[in-house]
Every structure is written in structure tokens, then in C-alpha cells.
Amino acid sequence: MPPSPSLRPHRATTPPRDRGDACPGALRLHPAADGALARVRVPAGELMARQAAALADAAERLGDGRISLTSRGNAELRGLSDGCGQELAALLSDAGLLPSARHERVRNILASPLAGLDRRTPADVRRWAGELDGLLCASDVAPQLSGRFLFVLDDGRGDVAALGGDVTLVAEATGPDGTTGGALLFLGAPDDFPDTADGSPAALRIAGPDVPRAALAAAEHFLAAAEGTGAWRVRDLPADRLPTVRETGERLRAAGVAAAYVPPGDVPAYREAPSYGEAAAPGIVEGPGGSALSVPAPLGRLTCAQWRLLTDVAATDGDGTLRLTPWRGVIVPGLAPATAARRLPELAAAGLITDPASPWHRIGACTGRPGCAKSLTDVRADAAAAVAAGATGADGPLPVQWSGCARRCGHPHGTWIDVLATGDGYRVSVVRPGAPPAPVASGATARQAADAVATARAAASQPPSRH
């Protein structure tokens, strides 16, 4: 008997896929209008300085000399020359960025970027991410996942829990020794399961040491449910194939993972993430072990000179690592406070975002023309012109995404302002979870769209009316 509809996710499913998953990777290059594109998965966004240097070498030798950051904390190389695939693969492999050719596109692991760096949460999710990556690369089943299937590991602050994971784990309360007591597991995103009057469980509680195995077992459960449907992600599953929490729990127990059922009343609301990127706002992050620098990239792209500067800071003054964020930024951990204060102006002078008040903060854009043939216009140029003109309402809290077509690649989650190019000009709307888009302007020029964005951001900044 199929599970009761009351236990099913309330999110509308997408239509069945009628083609194979063509998501690009580091070995499967995507032909774009500006040359080939490679997407390099960086689990939990964590790079050693030498790995970051290898990416810059690849971008300079084989690509357009820039590195793009994605909304999943991965890196993209664009403008790659024809026939460079073998050279690129060898370069990335030598740097340790391709631990398994069979699994390179399924290493989609997003983790809270500041875990263990500030004074709020422990570092457990970073360790979980590394262990999960190892399990994925050792699994014979994992290569069946699509290149879009996403694991999300939230350290408990809620910064990434609402970013559309297919398997989402949220760390629970911190113990006296600085470790978590475990995590809540959701197949899908936490808001996929509604409150139910009959007390049906909304999540599974997993002990800390079992979290990586639980994540992989949940993904395998998805694959079993998706067989024959063409579904790439949990939201693609037909309604009669969506696993319930109880079914997922039974699957985990069969895999040797203890899982306790959690009722809806004990699950926090994660529908809306903290204000876009505020968990990793630009500037210095103070923590018990020193300081970190949080530096978003304007429109998510860095020149190799900017990238190498960040790499140098990490190797010379930091702990030798960098963390890529889903808000298209870089975090450099492990600096002494005085060193962080000295380095920050240097990064600002290089054109990076180092101040939350920067007009570039929370402004994003897809590739647009001429790099993407599907785009209707050069949205990056229009977005940059709007920022330069001070016409985007820099004080507004909502993130803004300029998109060249209806695919809206890389758009934010939660509440955001959609600036969409159409055949009749730009259409500007405010997007909120669970509600239809609220139109602000249509048929607008780039400057009119920027003014509409400023108006929408200003309205969002106003306290709600009491009437």
C-alpha cells in the first residue's frame, strides 16, 4: 500500500525528465558559446592552497583566465580550448581534485562555510563532509546519482539548510566538549515535509558518528525510489514514489544506521535561510582559534590575479586552506587577528568585496551573453552598470539575481529579487518561498530594472505596517 498522502512532501514535483543528465564536470566538459566549460566539484568548498593554485594554472593555461564560483561552493573554468580535456584532467588529478573519475560529478557536498571558525558552532560538519566524500568515492552505487543531486550539511545555524538539498543533515545542540550530539536528516530539504495532525515523523535523528553513512544510505534510498522514473533529484519524484520518513528510517536501519523518528513539533523551521550570505558576510570573522577573512567575488567571478592573492594569503598567513561559499565567496581561515586586519585592505584594493556595505554585496548574475547562447542579453554588463551607477539599493537586505533566460541559473534560495531578461525587456519580481512571484516591473530597460530593484529592496527594509 502506498504511504498516506499526508506524509508526502508538499513541494510540487517537476515534470519527468526525458533526457539523460548532462550536468558538466571536470571530465565531461560542456560546450558553451565562449568555449568549453568545466565544473570542478569541491566538497564542502574546501581547497588546499596548492589545489587553488592548480585551478589558477588551469584557468590561465587552458581557459579565459578567470574562475567562477557557483551557488554550491564549486569552481568553474570557462573559455577552455578545444582538445584540452586530457591536459585539464591531468592537472586536476595531480592536485588531488579528482580522487575518482567515476564519481567526480556526484561529489556535490555543501557544508556551512564557517563551521568551527566563529564562536557559534563546532566543526563536526566539516569532518562529516570529508568522510561522506570518501564514502561516495568508494561506492559502486553512487555513480548512478545525477550531477545535480546535492548533499547539504548544516552546522546548526541554518545557513545552508534551506539551500535545496536532496539529502539534508542539520547538526543538533553542541555538547560540553565542543562536538554535536548528532544531526536531523531529511530526504529532500527540511521544508519538504509539512506538519501532520497524526504525529507522523518529519525527520530522522542520527548519531554523530553515523551521519556520513546515513547520508549515503539516504541517497541510495532515493535511487531505489527513482528507478524507472527519470528523476534526477528528490523534487523530481512522482508523488506516488516519494519516500516517507518512516520508509527512509527503515532503509537506514537496514544499512546498519540507527535512526530515531522526530515529530514535526521538534523540527525547527528552515524554509528561509538567514539573510543571504550573512553567515559569511564580507570582512573579518573572529573565532576562538584566530581570525578568518570572508571575501565574496563581484558577480561570482575572480581574475587569476585575485585568486592567486587569496591563495597567497592562505598559504602565507592562514592555515593553508580556502573555503568556497554558496554565496560565491572565499573564506581564508587561520590568520592572526592583526594579520587579518592588515590583509583586508589589500584584498579590497584588488577589487574583492570586503565590506557588507559594498554595492556589489548580494548582487549576482548568470553568465549571460556572449558566454551563454541561451541568454537574451549581456546581463553581467547590465548588472555591473547598475552597481556602478549606484542604482540597486545597496542598503537593501534582499539578494538580487540578473538572469539572461528563464532557466535562472544559480539563483538564490529563500526570498530574493528576480531580474529576468525577456524578449520585451527586463521583468523584475520579488520571489518568496511558497508564494507566487510579486511583480515589480516589466518591459524595463536595464536602468529601469535597476531602479525597480532599488525600490523593492527599500520596501523590504521597511518594518511591517501595524494596520
Side-chain angles (χ1 to χ4, degrees):
M1 176 182 296
S4 165
S6 67
L7 304 183
R8 301 295 188 188
H10 60 74
R11 175 182 290 166
T13 56
T14 55
R17 309 285 187 178
D18 58 2
R19 59 184 174 85
D21 173 22
C23 192
L27 300 179
R28 178 191 287 181
L29 306 187
H30 172 71
D34 57 349
L37 176 154
R39 183 172 299 155
V40 183
R41 267 64 174 188
V42 185
E46 189 146 335
L47 287 168
M48 303 294 293
R50 64 179 180 84
Q51 294 174 322
L55 286 174
D57 290 343
E60 288 178 330
R61 286 163 45 185
L62 306 173
D64 64 3
R66 292 177 179 269
I67 295 171
S68 298
L69 306 182
T70 78
S71 59
R72 292 182 168 191
N74 293 319
E76 285 185 349
L77 306 176
R78 299 190 66 95
L80 295 167
S81 55
D82 292 338
C84 75
Q86 285 190 329
E87 185 177 357
L88 175 63
L91 197 159
L92 297 177
S93 183
D94 288 346
L97 290 168
L98 292 177
S100 172
R102 291 180 62 215
H103 300 81
E104 64 98 4
R105 292 192 316 123
V106 303
R107 300 170 68 224
N108 295 304
I109 304 174
L110 179 59
S112 296
L114 289 182
L117 295 183
D118 61 7
R119 304 178 189 279
R120 297 178 59 182
T121 56
D124 291 52
V125 297
R126 312 297 300 186
R127 174 174 53 79
W128 292 342
E131 294 176 5
L132 173 57
D133 186 34
L135 291 173
L136 281 172
C137 289
S139 169
D140 290 331
V141 177
Q144 299 175 31
L145 295 170
S146 83
R148 291 169 169 79
F149 193 90
L150 178 64
F151 297 90
V152 169
L153 299 174
D154 191 294
D155 65 6
R157 77 182 73 212
D159 60 337
V160 297
L163 298 189
D166 293 288
V167 174
T168 303
L169 289 124
V170 181
E172 292 198 281
T174 303
D177 59 351
T179 60
T180 62
L184 297 180
L185 182 148
F186 307 84
L187 186 57
D191 67 325
D192 280 340
F193 290 89
D195 289 349
T196 52
D198 60 3
S200 301
L204 297 168
R205 178 168 284 116
I206 310 297
D210 292 334
V211 164
R213 287 195 302 129
L216 180 58
E220 292 174 346
H221 186 34
F222 159 78
L223 286 173
E227 186 174 1
T229 68
W232 296 344
R233 307 196 60 190
V234 170
R235 68 186 62 183
D236 298 339
L237 288 170
D240 62 349
R241 299 289 286 273
L242 287 167
T244 66
V245 175
R246 291 193 184 279
E247 290 172 333
T248 304
E250 291 169 2
R251 176 69 182 234
L252 265 60
R253 291 191 186 97
V257 177
Y261 297 122
V262 182
D266 293 345
V267 176
Y270 296 108
R271 176 179 291 274
E272 188 79 69
S275 182
Y276 181 83
E278 287 310 298
I284 297 174
V285 179
E286 302 290 355
S291 298
L293 295 174
S294 179
V295 186
L299 299 184
R301 297 203 80 193
L302 301 102
T303 64
C304 279
Q306 292 171 324
W307 183 265
R308 289 192 185 280
L309 175 58
L310 289 165
T311 303
D312 175 69
V313 173
T316 304
D317 297 321
D319 65 4
T321 67
L322 305 92
R323 298 182 184 183
L324 310 185
T325 80
W327 308 288
R328 295 180 172 85
V330 179
I331 292 173
V332 183
L335 284 76
T339 304
R342 174 175 57 83
R343 282 290 207 170
L344 195 66
E346 184 181 357
L347 297 175
L352 297 168
I353 304 171
T354 60
D355 185 341
S358 167
W360 291 99
H361 185 37
R362 305 190 189 94
I363 304 292
C366 70
T367 296
R369 284 187 178 176
C372 177
K374 289 184 169 60
S375 180
L376 299 177
T377 189
D378 188 346
V379 290
R380 298 181 69 82
D382 288 345
V387 172
T392 58
D395 294 333
L398 295 184
V400 180
Q401 179 76 3
W402 294 65
S403 299
C405 76
R407 295 184 304 166
R408 298 175 172 87
C409 294
H411 69 76
H413 289 264
T415 302
W416 54 285
I417 299 176
D418 177 29
V419 185
L420 176 67
T422 72
D424 298 320
Y426 280 106
R427 184 169 71 236
V428 182
S429 306
V430 178
V431 178
R432 294 182 175 86
V440 178
S442 61
T445 64
R447 180 53 193 258
Q448 289 170 338
D451 291 340
V453 167
T455 299
R457 295 181 100 186
S461 301
Q462 298 301 315
S465 171
R466 296 184 179 181
H467 301 288

